[in-house]
């Protein structure tokens, strides 16, 4: 099955690799990748599969039991077939604002690139397949809980229309992995797992930062040329140094635009990445590296799911667009090494800020059923700002709020404050708080919003951008709990539900409910660590 795919590893062919193949932690100067074979596991078993990712690669949509066994063997890393060129990529990154030097794929091993049905090269990458030269002191493995989360969320994001790396498979290894989940001195064994991720490229901002920081200009040039030629072919391939400088300015501008659009999507759907280090930002503007991410439940701009970041809250929901800009400026700094002149790079950063400034309010207005052509006017900006104040004044589930809002639009114009807020009460985690000033604030805002609407029933346009089904943190945890007991039915059902996140899907309403009280403080449901 896998040896019949069209393997074509342009990354390995086109870029300098590590001359050594031994796996021990080390610096790997001058290389873009290191050859490394996955470390075999004891009893690989296929637990989840994405037919829509498999099909275009030339893999079966519904594998037979024998095919599932083969998939488990290959996508755990136990068998490396003809055509594969397993490698770990080298990159650096700024972690929580500090330059961290060489990081690299410490537990990800790309098997190679497969040419898909559209003729696009797709890299198949195993996450959790064993140590590499970039593993530092860690084991190169991943646990079932984080792998279920990555599998489901990658696919959920795709179906929400948010650019992301995809997940092809989830395989358990049959081995135990020891993790101290909250770094509090309580290490415990957990089930090991491997997710096969798929993307046209896993190149990160940090891929360019590392050679730039070390004066490896040849490597930097080669990485830029490779990225331009294969990932941004519409921009062109450099003919000479001057041409490269021009194309790098275009490339940076496009990365800024894609990143702006990604941030707006994250804000729109209520996704909090949790670890927006520059090694976790994709040059293609994809959501990448699902770790301690989370979904906004009560609307709270200050919320982060990542316990490691609970004091600084650097990567909280509300700051994501600003952090992305900071990250882009680090990428711009790396490009500057070759471009030489900062003017144009700074102009793109300026456009990024201007785009967020215009497009983010526009996206919020779209969520409110208000389409705006051209510049977003001041009263509309105020309506959005006031909405955020109202949503922050009490605990309101943002996903449910936007799905129930159309019911307010169709109420009688003489409705009292109480009856006006009635439809959105289902979104409240503290309905008792909705009295007095809170009630007046909410009802006042709902009136202003309704007066601004220029259609009688905005439901269809609103439902098309406000998902009903997102991967609520506690739902992922329930799927993990079941999977730990060998029951994959909830993974399958969530996977399927999240394929049509904007549809009503009668019979599946339980997946669109508010977070239950028990999940408020439970690990995995409201707080997560980087330990995965
Ligand atoms: P992250 O913040 O999860 O993207 O990880 C940052 C860096 O740590 C990357 O270089 C990862 O490959 C590496 N890393 C994370 N977990 C492990 C692990 N269990 N074994 C080896 N490397 C890891
Ligand atoms: Mg990472």
């Amino acid at each position: 099955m896998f040896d019949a795919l069209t393997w074509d590893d342009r990354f390995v062919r086109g870029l300098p690799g590590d001359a050594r193949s031994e796996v021990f932690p080390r610096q790997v100067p001058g290389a873009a990748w290191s050859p490394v074979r996955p470390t075999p596991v004891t009893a690989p078993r296929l637990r989840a599969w994405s037919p829509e990712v498999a099909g275009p690669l030339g893999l079966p949509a519904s594998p037979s039991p024998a095919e599932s066994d083969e998939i488990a063997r290959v996508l755990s890393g136990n068998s490396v077939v003809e055509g594969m060129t397993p490698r770990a990529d080298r990159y650096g990154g700024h972690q929580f604002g500090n330059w961290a030097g060489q990081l690299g794929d410490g537990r990800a091993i790309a098997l190679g690139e497969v040419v898909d049905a559209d003729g696009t090269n797709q890299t198949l990458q195993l996450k959790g397949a064993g140590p590499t030269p970039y593993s530092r002191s860690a084991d190169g493995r991943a646990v079932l809980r984080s792998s279920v989360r990555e599998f489901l969320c990658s696919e959920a994001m795709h179906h929400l229309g948010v650019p992301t790396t995809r997940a092809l498979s989830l395989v358990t290894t049959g081995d135990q992995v020891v993790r101290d989940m909250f770094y509090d001195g309580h290490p415990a064994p957990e089930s090991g797992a491997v997710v096969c991720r798929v993307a046209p490229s896993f190149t990160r901002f940090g891929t360019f930062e590392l050679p730039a920081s070390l004066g490896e200009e040849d490597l930097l040039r080669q990485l830029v040329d490779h990225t331009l030629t294969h990932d941004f072919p519409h921009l062109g391939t450099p003919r000479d140094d001057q041409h490269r400088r021009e194309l790098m300015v275009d490339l940076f501008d496009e990365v800024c635009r894609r990143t702006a659009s990604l941030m707006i999507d994250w804000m729109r759907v209520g996704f909090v990445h949790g670890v927006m280090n520059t090694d976790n930002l994709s040059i293609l503007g994809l959501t990448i590296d699902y770790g301690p991410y989370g979904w906004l439940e009560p609307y709270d701009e200050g919320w982060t799911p990542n316990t490691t970041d609970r004091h600084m809250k650097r990567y909280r929901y509300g700051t994501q667009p600003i952090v992305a800009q900071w990250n882009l400026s680090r990428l711009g700094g790396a490009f500057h090494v070759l471009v030489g002149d900062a003017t144009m790079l700074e102009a793109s950063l300026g456009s990024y800020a201007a785009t967020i400034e215009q497009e983010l309010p526009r996206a919020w207005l779209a969520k409110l059923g208000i389409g705006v052509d051209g510049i977003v006017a001041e009263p509309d900006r105020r309506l959005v700002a006031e909405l955020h104040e109202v949503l922050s004044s009490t605990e309101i589930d943002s996903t449910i709020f936007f799905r129930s809002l159309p019911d307010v639009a169709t109420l009688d114009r003489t409705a009292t404050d109480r009856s006006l807020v009635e439809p959105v009460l289902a979104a409240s985690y503290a309905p008792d708080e909705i009295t007095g000033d809170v009630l007046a604030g909410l009802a006042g805002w709902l009136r202003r919003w309704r007066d601004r609407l220029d259609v009688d029933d905005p439901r269809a346009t609103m439902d098309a951008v406000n998902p009903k089904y997102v991967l609520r943190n506690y739902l992922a945890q329930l799927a993990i709990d079941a999977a730990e007991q060998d029951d994959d039915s909830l993974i399958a059902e969530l996977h399927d539900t999240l394929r049509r996140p904007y549809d009503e899907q009668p019979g599946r309403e339980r997946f669109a409910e508010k977070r239950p009280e028990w999940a408020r403080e439970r690990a995995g449901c409201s707080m997560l660590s980087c330990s995965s």
Side-chain angles (χ1 to χ4, degrees):
M1 189 189 332
F2 285 90
D3 53 0
L5 305 184
T6 313
W7 294 95
D8 168 34
D9 203 330
R10 298 190 301 210
F11 200 87
V12 160
R13 230 177 329 110
L15 290 165
D18 183 359
R20 309 178 66 165
S21 56
E22 307 94 313
V23 175
F24 64 93
R26 58 196 149 90
Q27 295 296 306
V28 185
W33 54 275
S34 295
V36 51
R37 291 179 76 89
T39 305
V41 302
T42 307
R45 194 149 62 85
L46 182 62
R47 306 288 294 269
W49 180 247
S50 291
E52 54 274 75
V53 181
L57 295 172
L59 292 167
S62 342
S64 66
E67 287 173 329
S68 293
D69 288 347
E70 184 179 346
I71 289 169
R73 268 198 310 279
V74 175
L75 298 184
S76 61
N78 272 17
S79 117
V80 173
V81 307
E82 181 75 29
M84 289 180 179
T85 39
R87 67 168 209 256
D89 293 353
R90 174 175 176 257
Y91 51 83
H94 277 86
Q95 297 185 313
F96 297 94
N98 303 306
W99 176 241
Q102 177 185 290
L103 295 167
D105 286 334
R107 55 165 165 178
I109 297 178
L111 295 175
E113 296 172 26
V114 172
V115 184
D116 73 10
D118 289 337
T120 304
N121 275 43
Q122 301 285 355
T123 299
L124 269 58
Q125 190 197 62
L126 305 183
K127 184 165 173 181
T132 77
Y134 309 101
S135 299
R136 294 172 286 163
S137 58
D139 58 8
R141 292 298 184 191
V143 292
L144 179 59
R145 85 185 130 83
S146 66
S147 306
V148 170
R149 284 167 48 80
E150 173 133 18
F151 180 88
L152 286 175
C153 201
S154 313
E155 292 309 286
M157 289 291 258
H158 169 76
H159 295 295
L160 281 164
V162 182
T164 177
T165 60
R166 301 294 301 272
L168 170 64
S169 59
L170 167 68
V171 172
T172 41
T173 60
D175 296 321
Q176 302 267 286
V177 176
V178 174
R179 288 288 180 272
D180 186 355
M181 203 200 300
F182 287 106
Y183 306 112
D184 60 357
H186 296 94
E190 298 187 47
S191 314
V194 177
V195 168
C196 180
R197 314 196 285 191
V198 178
S201 161
F202 285 91
T203 300
R204 299 133 193 280
F205 291 6
T207 308
F208 302 94
E209 285 180 276
L210 183 61
S213 77
L214 296 172
E216 297 174 345
E217 284 195 23
D218 266 350
L219 177 60
L220 181 58
R221 249 188 300 275
Q222 291 176 77
L223 283 163
V224 164
D225 290 4
H226 186 88
T227 303
L228 279 166
T229 307
H230 299 301
D231 300 320
F232 294 81
H234 51 284
L235 296 180
T237 296
R239 290 185 300 270
D240 51 40
D241 287 349
Q242 179 49 31
H243 190 218
R244 180 181 301 103
R245 283 185 210 110
E246 291 162 23
L247 293 185
M248 284 180 79
V249 166
D250 297 345
L251 173 60
F252 186 64
D253 194 63
E254 185 163 341
V255 177
C256 286
R257 278 187 283 117
R258 290 191 192 201
T259 306
S261 160
L262 182 68
M263 290 308 116
I264 289 163
D265 271 333
W266 285 2
M267 300 307 280
R268 171 178 70 86
V269 299
F271 175 79
V272 190
H273 184 284
V275 203
M276 289 178 69
N277 294 332
T278 56
D279 51 307
N280 292 341
L281 262 84
S282 144
I283 198 76
L284 291 177
L286 308 174
T287 312
I288 192 173
D289 280 8
Y290 293 88
Y293 69 80
W295 290 84
L296 211 53
E297 285 167 329
Y299 182 85
D300 177 1
E301 288 160 19
W303 184 67
T304 173
N306 185 353
T307 53
T308 317
D309 192 24
R310 68 180 170 275
H311 299 301
M312 298 295 289
K313 293 191 193 296
R314 178 182 175 88
Y315 298 142
R316 61 190 183 272
Y317 171 69
T319 53
Q320 295 188 118
I322 293 167
V323 167
Q325 185 177 345
W326 189 88
N327 289 353
L328 283 163
S329 69
R330 302 283 80 74
L331 177 65
F335 276 19
H336 182 254
V337 169
L338 295 184
V339 174
D341 174 2
T343 325
M344 297 301 282
L345 299 172
E346 275 163 7
S348 296
L349 281 173
S351 312
Y352 171 90
T355 303
I356 295 288
E357 173 77 14
Q358 272 301 314
E359 298 307 320
L360 195 50
R362 197 192 309 283
W364 281 107
L365 289 163
K367 283 174 78 66
L368 296 173
I370 302 166
V372 179
D373 295 329
I375 298 229
V376 178
E378 203 40 51
D380 280 344
R381 288 183 175 276
R382 211 169 322 125
L383 188 70
V384 170
E386 287 165 359
L387 167 67
H388 293 154
E389 276 169 37
V390 165
L391 288 178
S392 306
S393 69
T394 175
E395 280 193 323
I396 296 186
D397 189 283
S398 42
T399 304
I400 300 177
F401 177 82
F402 283 102
R403 288 296 280 210
S404 37
L405 209 43
D407 290 334
V408 178
T410 50
L411 284 179
D412 189 85
R413 296 207 88 76
T414 58
T416 60
D417 282 7
R418 262 284 143 215
S419 41
L420 210 53
V421 302
E422 188 61 36
V424 297
L425 278 186
S428 175
Y429 287 94
D432 297 350
E433 278 180 13
I434 305 188
T435 57
D437 287 352
V438 176
L439 173 64
L442 182 54
W445 183 88
L446 289 170
R447 274 204 184 86
R448 290 195 292 285
W449 166 67
R450 218 175 52 173
D451 289 344
R452 170 65 180 86
L453 277 180
D454 35 28
V455 289
D456 288 335
D457 188 356
R459 184 179 305 277
T461 46
M462 289 176 71
D463 283 1
V465 286
N466 295 318
K468 174 157 179 145
Y469 299 97
V470 295
L471 185 59
R472 289 176 178 275
N473 311 307
Y474 84 91
L475 290 175
Q477 187 58 43
L478 291 177
I480 293 163
D481 292 345
E484 298 279 9
Q485 305 302 316
D486 255 3
D487 173 1
D488 299 332
S489 57
L490 199 48
I491 297 180
E493 204 175 352
L494 284 173
H495 187 188
D496 195 47
T497 304
L498 295 165
R499 281 196 175 100
R500 291 182 293 121
Y502 301 100
D503 293 357
E504 282 297 320
Q505 303 195 48
R508 282 176 159 166
E509 290 82 1
R510 67 188 183 287
F511 297 136
E513 278 166 13
K514 259 184 319 199
R515 176 192 66 199
E517 240 354 80
W518 60 259
R520 186 179 281 268
E521 303 295 339
R522 196 187 147 189
C525 298
S526 57
M527 36 177 197
L528 295 130
S529 75
C530 282
S531 154
S532 59

